[in-house]
Amino acid sequence: VTSYWFRSEAVCSVSTAGRMRLDDAGATAWAAYGPCLLLAAGIARTQAPGWRRVTSCLPLFLAHLVMPLIADETDQVVTRAYFAAQYAWWSNFKLIAFCCNRGALCKCGPSLTAFVAVLALPISPADSAEHEEGNAKAEVKTRGGEKSASASKDFSQLTQYGAQTIGKTLGLAACTVVLNSGPMSTGVRNFALALALYCLLGVMEDGLGAVTASVIGLVVKPSFNNPITHTSSLRDFWSFRWNRHVASLLRELVYEPVVSGVLVLRPKKKDDGAKGRPSIGRRIVGTLLTFFASGVMHEIHFLYMTHGFAGDWLIFFTLQGFFVVVEHAARKFIASRPTLAKWLAKVPKVLRILMTISFLLVTGSYHYFPPVRRSGLDKRVVSHVASMMAILK
């Protein structure tokens, strides 16, 4: 699916002289990546967690850092953005977590197909609770029918994510038309850009990832959980609503090791007792470092697309971690005051949603959107999306 996406991008990126930007070096790199992925993944799965597993994964780490350079940052900016996010960040984070005996790749079981799919696509296997819920729904739908629950579950997931992909593709097309319609206020343009980003990520993760996972029979967790219409707090937005695939990577590789004080997980022994709740200090430090790590990776992503660091994205995500900590402290304080708690409970959920989204847009107007406009990244992305969809000439 990723190869098909890249070929379709190449068709849209024909230069003015009529020559494709996809050269022989890029095709060679793609041809070499498949065998490298299978070989390195197969070897890494036989190694114990720790430095041996890190050593066996080194070829993949290096290949993932090079992959975004295949696409041109001007004519193929969406392709480069996807490759930079998927390979230089998400795939490498999954590998690092795997070397520490953590994360999505450790949930794939004995299947090499599932392992490769989770590594190379923007997906995360569903947690046990989500998996059981999917099985229950499938059993209800197949009761009295001839299809197995497993087949129905896969088909249900395929139709669900397929419908989401179509809906977000239409939403992306609408945002592209709006952003190309002419001058508009900064606030409206920022909201349109945020909505376009949501739709674009949805197309990539629901389309490229989840649909493919459904075809091979892998149950995956939803990437988004109504982040615009159901978000009631900053913590709710970043932890449970927005890009849950990336949130899981950051939690497993940054937050949990900081909170537990253990980087490489060892197999549990029968005589291991239950551990108490981590201290509030560890949880605060873990939260702040998680958002800081997100800011660093967003800056690296920005570097791939623009050949320069902005610093604004690092500030934006670092501040979001601080805001989440302050919000949590405020909620604790209000909960300890019955009068304030009753007042807060009476605030309509619609108002809480509007306040949260507005806060994100306002803080984004200071540090998230300015570097996008300064670098012309917004115009290049909108132009590229429009050319791919053939809705603008």
Side-chain angles (χ1 to χ4, degrees):
V1 172
T2 306
S3 299
Y4 174 78
W5 169 272
F6 185 63
R7 288 197 299 271
S8 67
E9 296 275 316
V11 171
C12 296
S13 60
V14 179
S15 66
T16 55
R19 180 174 58 86
M20 285 189 179
R21 304 286 296 187
L22 180 60
D23 55 12
D24 293 338
T28 302
W30 263 106
Y33 176 67
C36 174
L37 173 61
L38 291 172
L39 180 62
I43 295 175
R45 283 159 55 87
T46 65
Q47 303 299 315
W51 286 110
R52 288 187 177 182
R53 194 172 281 184
V54 171
T55 303
S56 63
C57 289
L58 279 178
L60 286 179
F61 284 126
L62 297 176
H64 291 159
L65 293 175
V66 175
M67 290 297 287
L69 303 180
I70 295 175
D72 180 76
E73 72 276 10
T74 302
D75 296 332
Q76 295 178 319
V77 64
V78 174
T79 310
R80 174 168 283 212
Y82 170 70
F83 284 177
Q86 173 59 54
Y87 297 109
W89 179 0
W90 303 339
S91 292
N92 276 348
F93 262 44
K94 288 177 181 178
L95 282 176
I96 296 173
F98 176 66
C99 293
C100 299
N101 200 28
R102 297 174 176 274
L105 295 176
C106 295
K107 304 175 184 177
C108 296
S111 171
L112 180 60
T113 302
F115 185 93
V116 170
V118 171
L119 177 59
L121 294 172
I123 54 176
S124 295
D127 297 329
S128 56
E130 294 171 318
H131 200 157
E132 291 300 325
E133 182 181 356
N135 285 337
K137 290 181 179 179
E139 289 175 0
V140 170
K141 290 182 179 180
T142 56
R143 194 168 294 165
E146 297 181 355
K147 291 185 177 181
S148 68
S150 177
S152 178
K153 175 187 62 181
D154 295 338
F155 180 74
S156 176
Q157 180 177 257
L158 178 61
T159 55
Q160 174 189 351
Y161 286 116
Q164 290 178 2
T165 301
I166 294 173
K168 289 173 183 176
T169 300
L170 295 175
L172 181 60
C175 290
T176 303
V177 172
V178 171
L179 290 168
N180 275 292
S181 61
M184 64 186 71
S185 67
T186 302
V188 173
R189 186 169 184 83
N190 287 349
F191 180 76
L193 285 172
L195 192 59
L197 175 62
Y198 166 63
C199 292
L200 182 59
L201 287 173
V203 170
M204 290 178 177
E205 298 186 26
D206 294 337
L208 292 178
V211 171
T212 305
S214 302
V215 172
I216 65 174
L218 181 65
V219 181
V220 298
K221 65 172 58 178
S223 295
F224 294 91
N225 184 19
N226 302 311
I228 298 176
T229 59
H230 288 68
T231 296
S232 58
S233 68
L234 292 176
R235 179 176 179 271
D236 181 44
F237 179 85
W238 292 117
S239 299
F240 307 108
R241 301 289 181 183
W242 181 262
N243 210 343
R244 299 174 67 208
H245 165 241
V246 177
S248 296
L249 296 179
L250 290 167
R251 183 182 65 252
E252 294 161 349
L253 189 56
V254 183
Y255 181 81
E256 291 179 355
V258 171
V259 170
S260 65
V262 177
L263 179 59
V264 180
L265 286 179
R266 301 300 179 185
K268 291 184 178 181
K269 299 179 181 180
K270 293 183 178 180
D271 56 349
D272 288 345
K275 295 183 179 180
R277 183 177 176 83
S279 66
I280 184 64
R282 280 183 177 271
R283 283 180 280 149
I284 290 176
V285 172
T287 299
L288 295 176
L289 288 179
T290 298
F291 278 92
F292 177 79
S294 178
V296 170
M297 295 312 300
H298 275 87
E299 287 290 342
I300 294 175
H301 190 236
F302 189 82
L303 174 65
Y304 273 108
M305 295 184 290
T306 64
H307 295 295
F309 287 103
D312 297 75
W313 284 4
L314 177 60
I315 295 173
F316 174 78
F317 285 99
T318 302
L319 286 177
Q320 291 300 312
F322 173 75
F323 295 145
V324 168
V325 170
V326 172
E327 178 193 64
H328 181 71
R331 284 181 172 271
K332 284 284 187 181
F333 175 79
I334 292 174
S336 65
R337 303 293 191 276
T339 303
L340 291 177
K342 290 180 180 179
W343 176 83
L344 182 63
K346 294 179 181 179
V347 177
K349 186 174 182 180
V350 173
L351 182 58
R352 295 201 298 269
I353 293 172
L354 290 175
M355 291 174 61
T356 303
I357 297 300
S358 298
F359 183 85
L360 290 167
L361 289 173
V362 170
T363 54
S365 68
Y366 286 98
H367 296 294
Y368 188 87
F369 296 107
V372 175
R373 287 192 292 268
R374 288 198 305 266
S375 63
L377 185 59
D378 55 340
K379 295 180 180 178
R380 285 188 286 133
V381 169
V382 170
S383 176
H384 192 192
V385 170
S387 65
M388 284 190 294
M389 294 184 170
I391 57 177
L392 297 175
K393 301 297 183 180

